[in-house]
Amino acid sequence: MKNLRLLLPLIWLTFFVASCNDDTSGPSDIPVGEFEKGVLIMNEGAFGVNDGEVYHYDPSTGVIKEDIFRTKNSRPFGGLIEDMVEAEGRMYLVANTGKVEIVNPKDFSLLGGISLGLNITRSLVSVNQKLFISDWGPYDAGFNNLNSYVAVVNDLNGGPIAKKIAVSSRPEGMIVAGNFIYVACTAAKKYDVISIASETVAASIAVEGNPTRFLEIEGRLFLYAQDDNNAIFHEINPGNYALVRTVKIPLANPTPIVTLGEGSELFIVTSTGFPDYTDAVAKVSVNTGQVINGSFYTGSGLYGIGFKIEGKEIYVAENNGFQGKGSVSILSATGQKVKTLSVGKGPSGFIFK
Amino acid sequence: MVFLVVFMFQAILNQEVKPVMESKVVNETEKTHQDTVALSPVEVFSPPLDKYTFGSTIQNISESDLAIFQGLPLSDFLQQRTGLFLRQYGSGMLSALTMRGTSAGHNAVFWNGLPINSPSLGQSDFSIFPVGGFDNASIHFGSGGALYGTDAIGGAVHLTNKLKFGEGHQVRIGSVFGSFGRWNQQVEYSFSDKKFSARTRIYRNFSENDFLFRNITKMGTPIERQSHARLEQTGAMQDLAWSINPKNLISTSVWWNETNREIQPLMGSNTIDFQSDRNLRWVLDYFHFGKNKVWNLKSGLVRDDQLFNNSFNQTIQYFLAGDLDWEISNKWNSKSGLRITEIQGNLSTYQAKESRVELYQSTNFRPSERLGFSVNLRQLVFEGNLAPFTPSVGGEWKVWRNESHQIHFTSNLARSFKVPTLNDRFWVPGGNPELQSEKSWSAESGINYLFKKENFELSQKITVYRMKVDNWIIWLPKGNVWSPENIREVHNSGLEYGLEANQKAGEWDLHMKVNYAMTRAINQTDISENDRSKGNQLPYTPLHKFQSIIMVGKGTFSTFLNYQLVGERFSGTDGSGRLDPYQLWDLGGNCNWSIRNLNGSLGFQINNLFNTDYQVMPLRAMPGRNFQLNLNVRI
């Protein structure tokens, strides 16, 4: 008690001194984490080497920090990074080699992970303090994935899988809207709807094209799909998961690589594929259903794209044949190359903060 | 670009003594047939591999060198006991040899004179060549396209069986027991008289391969037990030789080898892959010994079946070859030959047939006892396409020689090539039928120093080389499809050093071997505007590899301490993805014993003595400290 009596005045004194500080800028009192600002660059890594890594780029200084996961945690990520999702104050690094690592987005220090029971993991959403993870499931003899699922983990910091919800083949992107989790199932050409309340599939709806991800465009929910000649946007009523309408934009060889620009404009990577291999970035408008510019940017090995609202810059990731490091071309709003960054192997996505 | 080279004593023997030895063997064979009293063991004739290799570096690996590796992969021996580096994708998993900074497909591999690289993959997996599936191995360092044909850009490896006449009945049993459920068992029976020799060998090699490793891809980097890496290998060999008369000899060998493996997943990965390799190799040789001439007619078959999960790939190669090796005079030797190869590929995504014809000419010229030259020429035609014409010229000069010292200079200039593999051209999707052959120019020089005084022997060799490889094929992604292109040019240069020393001191024998390789393989091409590969070392090519072994023996006991150091490697072509260097120590002992009619050896060794945590390739776990017991019995 004697110690407490001595301590209390000291605590009061501390508060008093602190309250006298004339710096009233508020939130800046809390130190900004190392990676809370800038651009996080997801580098998928090369197959068979599993050297996925995350880079941080500070546009204001031009400084690039390499492999920030390894730097902070003193070990490699050790997987192919398929997706990078920030939610609930955590950063989820989803590896398609069957694991999720969970880090603090401020400094990338490890918080937890999921390493058992996953197969070919694709993406993740969180709702009601739970994680829902889309996974292709194992390959069968014909390299099909007929046992795809969404795994449920009852802890935001990972741990064991509580249950697996069987979904249509090859689930990719997901989104939480209303009372449902929407799952784009690319091989099945469907979107599955999971009821959050019952954690069961409420509906499975066939769509045109190969659906890959959901986009919120001007407050409306769209499912992006593509076939050989069209970029297809299916608008969904999030209240009852009904397909409202389909916008087909005639565009040759669209890929699943897409990012939302201003308004209803999107940037889509197109690729003629083998053998006449030409990649490009096309700019389209969902509202008009038209291609604004089919060759906004051309290159080879285009592997990811992002739109930085501040400055209206387009970040185009190029894999350089997975032979070594990839690169990122930063384009102006008019498509002019402003800068090129050397990044990790197989760069494929961005988070702008 | 010709450099100084030096040869080790062994290499000198290869160049100089061996051809003499071979002709001596023929003479002894003839003598044996004429003399019914003498029945001393005589090696069955086989063409000397190194006869037309003046100026080249060849390392011979004998049966006794291989003895303690019985049943283990040849890749383990090469990695631990030579200056060569193999890309080892896990313990007992795919092991690809790289020589002088070239790629895994840039070395030719022969079994009893038949090329056995897979025509679809263009390379061999050294992890499925068990020690015991052959008797000796020879390594030809550097380009050997003119001597051996396609693939021999960085070098060539020869696996050979050595039969003998006049040994009577013999039974040999070899066993290896080791950590992680290792049990290798081999049984051999042989019979030979002065005209006939037969040998049958069967083996089974097994390892649960469930070693402990630190999983660096998991939170807390826990120590885990490796799962899904079990290996099982079974095989049989049959050798026959019949000396019809002093002028005619027939020999044949068959080797069946089956390897079933669970493919060790990368750390942090949960893949469950299985691979089954079944390899059948058969060779038939007919030799006719004329006056100063040896005629050889060779035919053979190499069949490789590989099942990876449910994907089945098969290639069959049929060979018919003939050559004449002619001692024209004391100064001139000549060998002229023709080889026809028919290839059938039944791959999971395509079928292909290919015919290859190659003509070759080798000539040795020895203007004096101190000078020797080899000139080799080869032209291969595949499906009407001319592969690059490949000449080579090499020479050796005995600069100085007295009772204690010898110095030899050697030099060699060679062109080599590699025909694009069947997969390169025909794989669906992505195969590129327009691919050109990869081609190289290589120059090397060396110096060899030998010192011998009383009970001490020392030999040292140093070789420097430069090589330019062009049209190098790499597979690049074209959207979702990967396709090969002749895109890369690589300039290789390096240095190889070898030392061997022997000292006898009373009952004690001291022996030391050192190998060091410095390998620069510098990429000269960028594949795109943003590629930064040019000027960098090729991936998975250590700049430094050092290996040494010290052996101490007294009477029937011997011990050894082996050390290897492998320098840093990179997974990217632009110097990204660094892999740490590692050092490994092995310690062992051996005792030769004899009880009445039985004799043999008992050995014990500790591999990775200091339990070093290392990776040869990224995220491929390797075993820590492990133990091995060898027991060989001969009746």
Side-chain angles (χ1 to χ4, degrees), chain A residues 19-323:
Chain A
S19 66
C20 291
N21 192 327
D22 62 0
D23 182 356
T24 54
S25 55
S28 67
D29 283 343
I30 303 163
V32 175
E34 193 178 0
F35 306 124
E36 279 190 287
K37 286 192 170 181
V39 184
L40 291 172
I41 302 166
M42 178 173 84
N43 303 284
E44 184 180 284
F47 179 76
V49 187
N50 292 7
D51 52 354
E53 52 192 351
V54 179
Y55 276 38
H56 178 263
Y57 169 58
D58 185 342
S60 60
T61 63
V63 173
I64 292 178
K65 290 181 177 165
E66 299 185 356
D67 203 355
I68 56 179
F69 181 92
R70 183 197 283 255
T71 306
K72 185 66 187 178
N73 301 297
S74 303
R75 67 173 177 88
F77 176 77
L80 297 170
I81 308 180
E82 183 65 32
D83 204 357
M84 190 164 64
V85 179
E86 187 168 6
E88 305 287 353
R90 295 163 178 83
M91 184 69 75
Y92 295 91
L93 304 175
V94 180
N96 69 26
T97 38
K99 73 168 178 177
V100 177
E101 301 259 20
I102 304 163
V103 296
N104 184 334
K106 292 178 180 175
D107 62 1
F108 263 59
S109 60
L110 198 65
L111 297 174
I114 304 152
S115 59
L116 291 175
L118 296 171
N119 297 93
I120 304 167
T121 317
R122 309 299 291 183
S123 191
L124 174 149
V125 291
S126 74
V127 61
N128 290 351
Q129 299 294 301
K130 290 183 179 181
L131 302 173
F132 292 80
I133 304 160
S134 59
D135 195 302
W136 283 10
Y139 286 113
D140 68 7
F143 282 97
N144 301 303
N145 302 90
L146 302 177
N147 293 306
S148 297
Y149 56 87
V150 168
V152 184
V153 175
N154 292 331
D155 188 331
L156 294 176
N157 282 342
I161 292 168
K163 68 184 287 190
K164 289 183 178 178
I165 305 166
V167 295
S168 301
S169 180
R170 297 194 177 175
E172 292 280 356
M174 296 186 289
I175 197 166
V176 178
N179 298 319
F180 305 105
I181 298 168
Y182 291 84
V183 187
C185 299
T186 190
K189 298 188 175 184
K190 289 178 176 177
Y191 66 90
D192 284 8
V193 184
I194 295 173
S195 161
I196 295 170
S198 64
E199 293 179 0
T200 56
V201 174
S204 187
I205 297 162
V207 291
E208 194 177 350
N210 293 94
T212 45
R213 60 176 292 191
F214 294 91
L215 297 158
E216 197 180 324
I217 303 172
E218 296 182 324
R220 291 169 293 163
L221 176 62
F222 282 90
L223 170 61
Y224 170 62
Q226 68 287 151
D227 64 21
D228 288 346
N229 300 306
N230 298 286
I232 306 168
F233 295 87
H234 302 288
E235 186 175 351
I236 297 166
N237 181 340
N240 62 4
Y241 53 75
L243 185 62
V244 177
R245 64 174 178 133
T246 294
V247 179
K248 282 174 77 171
I249 301 174
L251 178 70
N253 308 308
T255 70
I257 304 167
V258 62
T259 193
L260 189 59
E262 282 190 292
S264 72
E265 291 177 355
L266 292 109
F267 296 93
I268 299 171
V269 172
T270 62
S271 178
T272 58
F274 181 79
D276 305 317
Y277 182 54
T278 309
D279 285 355
V281 173
K283 189 177 179 182
V284 304
S285 167
V286 172
N287 280 352
T288 64
Q290 299 294 318
V291 176
I292 299 168
N293 184 350
S295 302
F296 183 79
Y297 176 75
T298 54
S300 62
L302 306 188
Y303 206 59
I305 193 163
F307 181 73
K308 185 164 168 278
I309 295 168
E310 188 187 335
K312 296 177 184 173
E313 289 174 329
I314 300 101
Y315 282 52
V316 181
E318 299 168 38
N319 62 32
N320 294 333
F322 290 92
Q323 300 298 301

Side-chain angles (χ1 to χ4, degrees), chain A residues 48-50 75-76 78 97 99 101 110 112 118-119 141 274 277 318 320-321 323-325 327 337 340 342 345, chain B residues 216-219 221 266 270 310 430 475-479 481 483 488 527-528 530 540 571-574 618-620:
Chain A
V49 187
N50 292 7
R75 67 173 177 88
T97 38
K99 73 168 178 177
E101 301 259 20
L110 198 65
L118 296 171
N119 297 93
F274 181 79
Y277 182 54
E318 299 168 38
N320 294 333
Q323 300 298 301
K325 284 186 162 192
S327 55
K337 192 184 284 189
T340 303
S342 177
K345 206 178 279 177
Chain B
I216 59 170
T217 67
K218 275 191 183 172
M219 187 161 63
T221 62
L266 276 83
N270 50 16
N310 291 302
W475 285 69
L476 293 170
K478 310 256 174 163
V481 174
S483 181
R488 190 178 278 169
I527 60 165
S528 66
N530 294 322
Y540 308 121
S571 65
T573 51
D574 51 5
L619 301 183
R620 308 281 177 169

